[in-house]
Amino acid sequence: MNSTTQHLIIGSTGKTGSRVMTGLKALGFNPRGTSRNGEVHFDWDDPTSWSAALNGIDAVYLTYYPDLAIPKAPEDISRFCALAKMKGVKHITLLSGRSEPAAQVCENILMQSGISWTVVRASWFNQNFSEGLFHQFIMDGNIALPVTDITEPFIDIDDIAEVVIASLIDDSHSGQLYEVTGPELISFADIAARFSKHLNRKVDFESISIAEFQSRLASSDVPQDVIETVTYLFDEVLDGRSESTTSGVDRALGRPATSFDQYILKNRHYFTEAA
């Protein structure tokens, strides 16, 4: 790939997509960003929107909404890859989910598509606590989730974006599956303790039932499809199968992954009252 490569960023206003857009622009590229309500329209629920977005595109960063684990994802990914190949796309980097068998079906579809590929298989995002669904928990001082003492190697999205950018501009990442995690396993109780320490205010952890979790999300007007996806992740995936770290970030970038403490310190501005 070279400086004339035209990149398409699907979900360019999302957590990872926005960072990939910014990073590519900083390197002198002119990526095309898409979203459901953006200038370049792209909607997974409207396949007629896909073709125009792919015009003139060489490389794609592919994120799927709401999650690769939903039943219709494999059909959509298969149709998208076939269309991308027909339109002359040379490379696709897919953001996937760690320990999600359904997501790995989608990975295999891409790998068998005949297009150059990179898969970035990520663990749970640190930024869920600053830019996502769990932000209000930190602001309220109570992380209430349907988990006990399970640990997870949370990954910083800035690390994910850097791996994705590398895969989009350097052919040496073609055919690579990077399973990316943070450098340590931490429980949600650990997370509460670390926020308490670094924010200098008390943040508690409360273990609640799935039913109570769903009820609280619904009362906060969280969309039903989001509730269903998050419930799936807690009920089916966060069961201990991911209690291990990997060297994916180091293998892709030649440096260690960002720690959770480093993440909190560089994102403290998200947890002020003004935020």
Side-chain angles (χ1 to χ4, degrees):
M1 300 177 202
N2 53 52
S3 60
T4 63
T5 298
Q6 180 62 61
H7 303 94
L8 178 70
I9 312 303
I10 296 177
S12 60
T13 59
K15 294 185 190 71
T16 62
S18 60
R19 287 166 166 83
V20 172
M21 287 284 290
T22 299
L24 286 173
K25 288 178 181 178
L27 292 171
F29 293 96
N30 185 30
R32 180 186 304 169
T34 74
S35 65
R36 284 177 294 177
N37 301 308
E39 183 177 346
V40 179
H41 175 64
F42 185 98
D43 188 343
W44 283 110
D45 291 328
D46 178 16
T48 63
S49 69
W50 304 354
S51 182
L54 285 165
N55 286 339
I57 294 298
D58 302 300
V60 176
Y61 174 45
L62 178 56
T63 63
Y64 185 81
Y65 181 86
D67 193 273
L68 287 176
I70 71 169
K72 69 186 290 284
E75 179 183 353
D76 284 346
I77 296 300
S78 181
R79 292 177 65 183
F80 179 87
C81 289
L83 178 63
K85 186 176 183 180
M86 184 179 71
K87 302 280 279 189
V89 171
K90 299 177 179 65
H91 179 86
I92 295 177
T93 294
L94 173 69
L95 179 65
S96 185
R98 191 174 187 229
S99 300
E100 296 180 33
Q104 290 168 30
V105 171
C106 295
E107 295 175 8
N108 289 332
I109 290 169
L110 172 59
M111 292 174 183
Q112 296 167 16
S113 68
I115 300 173
S116 167
W117 58 269
T118 304
V119 170
V120 181
R121 186 188 290 168
S123 55
W124 287 53
F125 298 167
N126 292 345
Q127 278 78 1
N128 286 336
F129 294 97
S130 51
E131 304 169 42
L133 190 62
F134 305 152
H135 176 249
Q136 194 59 46
F137 292 159
I138 309 304
M139 301 302 290
D140 293 341
N142 185 49
I143 302 173
L145 294 171
V147 293
T148 53
D149 57 354
I150 292 293
T151 59
E152 173 75 14
F154 288 84
I155 180 73
D156 194 283
I157 287 180
D158 291 339
D159 289 352
I160 295 174
E162 194 171 336
V163 173
V164 169
I165 291 167
S167 75
L168 292 174
I169 65 175
D170 184 347
D171 290 336
S172 68
H173 298 283
S174 177
Q176 296 294 317
L177 190 159
Y178 294 116
E179 190 163 341
V180 295
T181 71
E184 60 186 332
L185 291 168
I186 50 178
S187 69
F188 286 90
D190 293 333
I191 287 171
R194 295 187 190 204
F195 274 114
S196 296
K197 174 185 176 181
H198 294 302
L199 300 182
N200 296 313
R201 57 182 172 85
K202 184 66 172 173
V203 178
D204 296 313
F205 168 68
E206 178 186 5
S207 179
I208 60 177
S209 68
I210 285 283
E212 176 65 16
F213 178 62
Q214 291 174 318
S215 176
R216 293 188 188 189
L217 292 182
S219 66
S220 299
D221 297 323
V222 175
Q224 185 59 35
D225 63 335
V226 175
I227 294 175
E228 291 173 359
T229 299
V230 176
T231 297
Y232 166 82
L233 293 173
F234 276 107
D235 199 31
E236 300 292 334
V237 175
L238 203 65
D239 59 1
R241 73 182 71 175
S242 295
E243 290 187 305
S244 62
T245 60
T246 71
S247 59
V249 172
D250 188 32
R251 189 161 62 87
L253 303 177
R255 64 162 178 83
T258 302
S259 72
F260 201 86
D261 291 275
Q262 290 172 322
Y263 151 72
I264 296 175
L265 291 172
K266 74 178 181 179
N267 288 280
R268 289 172 71 172
H269 58 284
Y270 280 101
F271 307 107
T272 65
E273 288 304 318

